[in-house]
Amino acid sequence: MSVDNQGARRSAGGSASALLRVGDDTDVTLRLLFQRTRYNGFPASYAPLPAFVPLDVINHTANIQPLSRDDWTLPTLIVRHRGDGWSLHSSSSYFRRKALDVEDSTEGTAQYLFSYGYGQPPTQPFEWTAHRNSQQFSHETRFAINPTGALSATAGLFYSSFKSQRDSVPIYARDILGVPGQSLMWTYNNDYNRSDASLFGELYYNFLDKFTLTLGNRFYRLQQDDHTRFDGVLYGVNLVSDTDNSTKGSNPKVALSYKPTANTLAYASASKGFRAGGSQTDLSPLLGGCVSAEEAARLARIAPDTVWSYEAGGKIDLPEPGLIATAAVFYVDWKNIQQPAFIPACAFYLQGNAGAAVLKGAELELAGKVTRSLRLRAGVGYQHARITEQGSSQPPVGARVKQVPTWTGTLGAVYERALTATLKGFASGDVSYVGDSISSNSTSLALVRGSYSLVNARLGVMWAKSQLSLDVSNATNRRPNLGDVGYLGYQRFEADGTTPIPQVVTMPPRSFMLQYRQRF
């Protein structure tokens, strides 16, 4: 049988907000966002080697419909107070998410059982189902001083608490290891917690009428812990793993801007940033035949990756006809790169830290009115990203950093014209280009994701507070390789048992939407 419309998505959601004014200087805002999404299958496809191009048809031996469900809510409370030369802004939010993923892993699971000595199981479907629940509380209070003099400042604190639970429905296999009947092959449960606390501040100093100096820093502390339970004949043990990780540090920043005229600006900046690391399951008892005990223990803790970013640029505002041009050059020193790691001998996906890299590049953008009726925007970006320290990563020194295209570009236009005294018509379109990049696939092959261009268009009319339009997304019906997707179950291989079949994300097909908007 065949099933069409894979990757189709149905979403429903909404938002509501209420504003309460407490006196002349204080506002309280309560906002609620929510969304419910259903996928018929995943927006993913197989990309067989060597072409590494997404297929239009995915063949499976079992009649299992992959699907995904994702529901979330986000209430937020915001308080603003304005004083004489100062202001206070406080924001608190609570994010709650429930997700379900169902994957057909029949071929990959059967291949794994056969390849690792469990025998050829009888033909049976293997449906891998994962439940993911998460919740996060976040709070930030920001205090700003805006006196009439040359000095001003911002200071604040941030706190976030994140918790997630992930459970796998038990997977059973028939007649494996010579044991008749059902055998528990795999079951999995994971509890992950992360807390993030930081203090930050910036000082601004205006001098010589045209210069502004910015000095800032952010002091942070992260704490993570991971509790995982495995069971099933694939392990031979009831594995319980408890790992934790903590990180603290600071992110300084310095910037200098120069504004010679009201329509021009030049700047230079240097800043340090980081991406949180974490803890994950300690698989030392299972990875003994795949990696060393030291390496397995090291993989249980993910260090944060850090960047020192240096940037210089400028902006020119041309009132006639109304164009703004911006340009920038940058240099980024990237350490402890976080990237997916796949251990073929044990068929496990993990996160890990690689070596170091340097990114050098430039950006140019032009936007604004060309005529009274026509607005244009165009941009181009260039990045030269190369590995400078191999570390434990596969790419050698000099190799391209994975998932970073060298060239990107955009071009868009909006045209509006009065049709009658009360009716205005409009048409818009945009084209975006993304150059090729190296895939972070689960194999040791340096596969290249091809370049692609996407085209979107919009045509409509507007009157009073109403708008009616026809929107076309992915007008050329491109199916680019957007990135790799790990399997819930086991990776699928070709018939030779050694050539992997990557699974990748791709764009939804050409779609049309008739949209009506009404402002109140």
Side-chain angles (χ1 to χ4, degrees):
M1 63 175 295
S2 63
V3 179
D4 200 359
N5 207 29
Q6 290 297 290
R9 182 181 67 180
R10 301 189 307 275
S11 295
S15 65
S17 60
L19 173 64
L20 174 64
R21 297 196 179 278
V22 184
D24 296 332
D25 300 324
T26 304
D27 296 336
V28 178
T29 302
L30 180 61
R31 182 177 295 119
L32 175 64
L33 301 174
F34 61 93
Q35 181 172 290
R36 179 179 182 179
T37 304
R38 298 291 182 267
Y39 285 96
N40 185 61
F42 301 117
S45 175
Y46 289 140
L49 305 179
F52 200 43
V53 174
L55 297 177
D56 291 330
V57 177
I58 304 177
N59 293 318
H60 287 284
T61 59
N63 183 20
I64 296 176
Q65 174 58 55
L67 59 89
S68 180
R69 300 173 183 170
D70 193 350
D71 301 328
W72 58 264
T73 57
L74 177 62
T76 304
L77 177 65
I78 302 172
V79 179
R80 302 183 185 90
H81 180 78
R82 296 166 296 277
D84 186 10
W86 62 276
S87 63
L88 182 69
H89 183 281
S90 175
S91 175
S92 301
S93 63
Y94 177 74
F95 180 79
R96 187 175 182 88
R97 181 183 185 188
K98 296 183 65 175
L100 169 70
D101 294 320
V102 176
E103 179 181 273
D104 180 0
S105 186
T106 299
E107 294 85 3
T109 304
Q111 287 175 329
Y112 176 87
L113 290 172
F114 179 75
S115 299
Y116 290 91
Y118 293 98
Q120 183 67 54
T123 301
Q124 72 171 96
F126 286 100
E127 176 182 300
W128 289 69
T129 302
H131 296 272
R132 293 177 290 127
N133 299 319
S134 62
Q135 49 191 323
Q136 178 171 340
F137 170 77
S138 299
H139 174 81
E140 179 176 297
T141 296
R142 185 183 298 262
F143 180 73
I145 303 176
N146 304 291
T148 56
L151 284 173
S152 58
T154 299
L157 58 88
F158 172 83
Y159 176 77
S160 173
S161 175
F162 175 80
K163 298 181 179 180
S164 72
Q165 302 85 38
R166 180 170 178 173
D167 300 285
S168 169
V169 173
I171 306 295
Y172 291 90
R174 295 195 302 266
D175 305 329
I176 62 173
L177 294 175
V179 179
Q182 298 277 12
S183 294
L184 176 63
M185 188 176 69
W186 161 284
T187 185
Y188 167 88
N189 175 265
N190 172 259
D191 294 312
Y192 176 78
N193 301 298
R194 182 185 71 235
S195 63
D196 177 3
S198 60
L199 297 172
F200 60 88
E202 287 190 348
L203 179 67
Y204 316 99
Y205 176 55
N206 300 314
F207 61 99
L208 299 179
D209 295 329
K210 302 180 185 298
F211 292 88
T212 300
L213 176 66
T214 301
L215 299 174
N217 210 337
R218 185 183 189 97
F219 302 92
Y220 65 88
R221 179 178 178 84
L222 296 172
Q223 181 70 42
Q224 298 122 335
D225 64 80
D226 182 287
H227 179 72
T228 305
R229 296 172 294 279
F230 291 99
D231 200 2
V233 296
L234 295 187
Y235 297 103
V237 294
N238 184 354
L239 174 66
V240 177
S241 167
D242 287 290
T243 60
D244 60 79
N245 192 24
S246 62
T247 307
K248 61 181 179 180
S250 64
N251 292 327
K253 172 185 177 181
V254 58
L256 179 65
S257 64
Y258 171 58
K259 195 170 185 179
T261 69
N263 299 323
T264 58
L265 172 71
Y267 70 91
S269 67
S271 61
K272 183 182 180 182
F274 84 106
R275 177 171 51 173
S279 58
Q280 60 187 354
T281 305
D282 183 359
L283 298 175
S284 301
L286 304 177
L287 300 182
C290 313
V291 298
S292 66
E294 293 78 8
E295 178 71 4
R298 188 188 65 80
L299 287 171
R301 289 171 175 81
I302 309 166
D305 48 359
T306 60
V307 295
W308 265 105
S309 177
Y310 308 90
E311 183 175 336
K315 179 178 71 172
I316 300 177
D317 187 355
L318 305 173
E320 295 296 336
L323 293 174
I324 298 177
T326 60
V329 294
F330 58 86
Y331 178 94
V332 178
D333 188 9
W334 191 2
K335 304 288 188 183
N336 281 335
I337 304 172
Q338 293 183 38
Q339 65 178 19
F342 180 67
I343 304 175
C346 286
F348 277 109
Y349 294 93
L350 295 171
Q351 279 290 108
N353 292 102
V358 165
L359 285 71
K360 296 178 284 188
E363 298 174 343
L364 177 64
E365 185 173 331
L366 184 67
K369 286 188 175 182
V370 177
T371 68
R372 179 176 298 181
S373 301
L374 180 63
R375 299 195 306 272
L376 290 177
R377 62 184 184 279
V380 62
Y382 170 78
Q383 292 190 93
H384 183 272
R386 295 294 184 270
I387 298 293
T388 57
E389 180 183 327
Q390 184 172 355
S392 60
S393 61
Q394 297 165 351
V397 172
R400 293 175 62 184
V401 176
K402 295 179 179 181
Q403 304 186 85
V404 180
T406 302
W407 290 97
T408 57
T410 59
L411 177 64
V414 178
Y415 181 77
E416 297 180 351
R417 183 171 182 176
L419 303 177
T420 68
T422 59
L423 189 66
K424 179 185 291 186
F426 63 89
S428 66
D430 62 81
V431 181
S432 60
Y433 169 80
V434 178
D436 63 33
S437 61
I438 304 299
S439 170
S440 65
N441 61 82
S442 59
T443 74
S444 59
L445 304 175
L447 299 178
V448 176
R449 303 188 310 202
S451 61
Y452 62 91
S453 298
L454 298 176
V455 180
N456 303 304
R458 193 164 183 240
L459 181 68
V461 293
M462 63 181 84
W463 67 97
K465 296 183 178 182
S466 302
Q467 184 181 105
L468 179 66
S469 66
L470 175 65
D471 302 350
V472 183
S473 300
N474 192 11
T476 56
N477 204 32
R478 289 296 306 273
R479 304 289 179 87
N481 181 340
L482 299 180
D484 309 290
V485 182
Y487 290 78
L488 287 178
Y490 288 99
Q491 178 162 338
R492 187 176 178 182
F493 290 83
E494 299 283 5
D496 60 13
T498 60
T499 303
I501 304 178
Q503 185 177 224
V504 301
V505 178
T506 189
M507 285 288 294
R510 180 191 300 115
S511 60
F512 299 87
M513 179 173 65
L514 187 63
Q515 182 174 238
Y516 174 76
R517 294 181 178 180
Q518 177 67 47
R519 291 185 294 114
F520 299 96

